[in-house]
Amino acid sequence: MATNPVPSAPLEAPRAAAKTNRIGLQVLDYRGGKTTLCAGCGHNAISERIIDAFYEMGVQPERVMKLSGIGCSSKSPAYFMSRSHSFNSVHGRMPSVATGALLGNHTMKALAVSGDGDSASIGIGQFVHLMRRNVPMIYIIEDNGVYGLTKGQFSATADIGSKLKTGVINDLPPIDTCTLAIQLGATFVGRSFSGDKKQLLAMLKAAIAHNGTVLLDVISPCVTFNDHEGSTKSYKYMQEHDEAIDEVGFVPFFQEIDVEYDPGTTINVEMHDGSQMRLRKLHEDFDPTDRVASIAAQLHAHANNEVLTGVFYINTQQPSFTEMLNLVDEPLGTLPDDRVRPGRAVLEEMMQRLM
Amino acid sequence: MATEDVALAASAEQGILSKPDTHQQSPRSTIVNDFSIQIATVNGSGSQSANSVLLRSIFRMGIPVSGKNLFPSNIAGLPTWYTIRASKDGYVARKKEIDILIAMNAETSKEDMLSLPVGAAAIYEESADLKQFRNDVACYPVPFDKLTADVCPEAKLRKLVKNMIYVGVAAQLLQMDMQAVEAALRKQFAKKVKAADLNWAAVQAGYEYAAANFTKNDPFQLQPMNATEGKIIIDGNAAAALGCIFAGCTVVMWYPITPSSSLVENFIDLAKRYRIGPDGKATFAIVQAEDELAAIGAVLGAGWSGARSMTATSGPGISLMAEFAGLGYYAELPGVIFDVQRTGPSTGMPTRNQQGALLSVAYLSHGDTKHVMLIPGSVRECYEMAMDAFDLAEQLQTPIFVMSDLDLGMNNWMSEPFTYPEKPLNRGKVLSAEDLTRLGGFARYKDVDGDGIGYRTLPGTDHPLAAYFTRGSGHNEKALYTERPDDYVNNMERLSRKFDTARTLVPQAEIVQTGKSKIGLIAFGTSDFATRESRDQLLKEFNLDTDYLRIRAFPFSREIHEFVASHDRVYVIEQNRDAQMLSLLKLDLEAKDIVRLRSIRHFNGLPIDARSITDDLVTQEGI
């Protein structure tokens, strides 16, 4: 199912001066509780972009469910979109909770927030299976390469040679969640940086329009434990090594699509709901619909000490997990009795067969 | 303590490999409809159809019958035994003594033969010459290979058809009704007429060989009765799957593990048959998970978003589910978990029976957690309690565990036909958008009704006040984050109240008899069958009348306390080493009543039998 946001009447008439989106909600209606994360934490910037993206796309917050595991990142769903149901679950096991929640109601838009520890270490088992199922949801890894809540241990996405505040140097290679996701079957994979407002917002809006697993690895520096000299997930390092492979533009389906279009350097991707994602190629020969090329680009970047950002891979043809299950249109959870409990005759037939 | 000795003796029994039983049987008198048959075969040799035909033939003759498969953790090659018990009195527990041996496994045939009681009968491959080992057993040597070759020209089918020869031999020796045998066989092969004809020819060959060559030299005989009319035969896992279908279960996520896999596999078959609309669209989602952690995670996620969800597992899976079970308790999420218990761990005897997960499930997870367990004692209850479990999960907003076991789940049992549920599904306290408009909002964890159960909303409820934030125990009544001591205590005490509400909602204990004896018996699950038979033995052989209560759920309902309080000695009969049910009772009973409890345990991997209970109880009573 494409993400056609259900237009609905605003619950309260907005004041004349207040700016509203196309379903009549103000940006205020997408806000959450006050953050308890550190001042300057990249995660807060991501929460802001999530609010902007859902507001600008005009998604009714009641049609969204937020899911998370355990960690600083996983706390953040409390800080945006309070009008959406939210579930702060178990360390590394959010993918299964999200899968179940979507099976219970596959008409919902699911937004999951996880961290590098939650996804790449304790949760790697569930992470890979979610990716291979192409469960229709947005999965954001707020990636700082470090465990914040337990006060600064390396995570499995920390780069080789990266240094902790205490001077400890990481000597193991990182798990690249994007490469892994592309290889496993996720159908929208990209990386951004919490400090890059424009790129992250465009990617989130495209993610909302996508039907399938969206993996966004968002480098999000930890100002307390991983923003020092020697860290490869610091603001400074990212500003110096961020190598965008495409410039992401996004035009929602409800806006008139303009014609500024250069076939030589731009790829236009039509999303499930008719929106257009425009990727201006910054790397030559890069084609985000080519899985092999996408993975190769990642490997080259690793070799060159670059951190690639942008949309790496997109496949709008692959059916999502809930489509493959061929479910009835309505949510399974609230089907009436007579649609889920077979009649008397069925039991009688069964009993006859067993006699 | 005497129990310890008996328990040790039971564990040393090793079933079939023990020394000859001293239990005496006179070969001269006729024993009608009251004996056990053991078929010793090699795992993977395809004896299942033959054993099933034998079982169902006896059933068709109107004789109460039960069958048990004792199999190794192996695909093919290791020894396996199938026991069939015919009992005119309707006893369906395992019978300790084997009366008729059908020895089809050369590897174990000598030991199988040596384990027989005096006066037993043995059907075996002629070349094995088992007669040399026992002159006190009626011997029926059969040239299986030759008979098979005569009826089955196709060499590759002979291995399977060979098993049908023993069905024919047994049918002749036991004077079975051949019409019943043919009907059972044709039902077994359903539409495969060619296979049915071939197998029927093998049965007849066995029958004719026995008729021409044997003089009956044992007392065992089957005579038609009228005790199975209108009854069904089903295994507990299939019955539970049926219950899930009629409970309106919509989401299943599971990880295969013996002995629970067939529960989900049955559900898959049923769902495909009865829960797909004319447009081909399904009212269910079944997903094979990467592990049990994912299985229970999805079950709770689906419960949270409003679905009736379930998974099925066994001991090792339960261990993996521990963390989520705690979250399910604290975050108050509905979900149904079938624990088809077996011996642990995976490298132990994973295909053998045990009631060994009571303690671990009752308190599964971290902090102060307590879980509701339903304990079916028959296939009918597997069906009914599956439906109860989904209602209770949503009523109580908590994971519900259904504690079956391998013996119940994987073996075939006779039963009265199941009845159609009369009550509509109980979906619990869920607020709609209209409710929210009327109420002007809600507090997720507030005890509005005094039963400890709050009101919840489902994701997708179209109201700006519908959403709440779900997390573990760190929340106040409004589901807001808190670490305030008084909020935590209030929440925990409400959860305790909810558990007390559960006491009143779970299936009550079955009181079979009370007020007649100073001695009470307590059993549950599959220990029930042997316990009932043992009570008859105690009465007949020792003139000892016993009262009896069967536990059907945890937390314990009121009448269990009363039963214990009103007896001098109460024997808790269970299939585990550490008296787990007795331990749970101790935690719940008043101190003055705890001293009344005594323990009878059976944990050698074989289903409990009546004789073991009787012997143990008599020893403890000093009779």
Side-chain angles (χ1 to χ4, degrees), chain A residues 60 62 85-86 88 90 96 100-101 126 129 133 326 328-329 333 337 340-342 344 349 351 353-355, chain B residues 187 233 246 273 275 280-282 290 294 298 302 305-306 323 418 420 422-423 425 427 457 462 464 469-470:
Chain A
Q60 198 189 330
E62 285 79 15
H85 272 74
S86 195
N88 192 176
V90 171
S96 64
Q126 296 211 345
H129 286 277
R133 292 190 183 112
N326 201 19
V328 293
D329 297 338
D337 288 17
V340 294
R341 171 181 274 176
R344 246 164 241 281
E349 181 203 321
M351 292 302 109
R353 203 180 298 175
L354 294 167
M355 278 179 191
Chain B
K187 183 164 180 167
I233 289 186
F246 286 96
R273 208 179 310 157
R275 295 272 298 276
K281 293 197 169 181
E290 52 271 33
S305 73
E323 188 183 14
F418 304 157
Y420 193 76
E422 296 303 331
K423 283 184 290 182
L425 308 180
R427 307 301 309 262
T457 55
D462 190 14
F469 197 96
T470 303

Side-chain angles (χ1 to χ4, degrees), chain A residues 55-83:
Chain A
Y55 167 74
E56 288 178 23
M57 289 292 283
V59 180
Q60 198 189 330
E62 285 79 15
R63 299 300 309 158
V64 179
M65 47 193 186
K66 303 175 289 180
L67 300 125
S68 60
I70 296 295
C72 292
S73 54
S74 292
K75 290 173 120 187
S76 71
Y79 316 137
F80 59 85
M81 290 170 75
S82 291
R83 280 172 56 173

Side-chain angles (χ1 to χ4, degrees), chain B residues 192-211:
Chain B
K192 292 178 230 157
V193 181
K194 247 178 101 179
D197 289 344
L198 178 62
N199 282 283
W200 178 237
V203 172
Q204 284 175 306
Y207 187 94
E208 281 153 22
Y209 182 83

Side-chain angles (χ1 to χ4, degrees), chain B residues 35-39 47-61 63 65-67 82-86 100 102 123 163-172 174 176-178 180-181 184-185 188 203 222 233:
Chain B
F35 53 85
S36 67
I37 305 170
Q38 181 158 72
I39 303 123
S47 59
Q48 219 174 348
S49 304
N51 298 338
S52 174
V53 167
L54 206 46
L55 175 94
R56 286 172 190 279
S57 303
I58 298 169
F59 177 75
R60 278 182 177 262
M61 287 175 69
I63 306 161
V65 65
S66 59
Y82 191 78
T83 21
I84 293 172
R85 179 178 186 183
I100 299 166
I102 300 177
I123 297 164
N163 296 309
M164 286 295 168
I165 304 277
Y166 68 67
V167 174
V169 173
Q172 197 279 333
L174 298 171
M176 288 173 72
D177 171 2
M178 287 306 275
V181 179
L185 183 139
Q188 176 81 22
V203 172
L222 289 170
I233 289 186

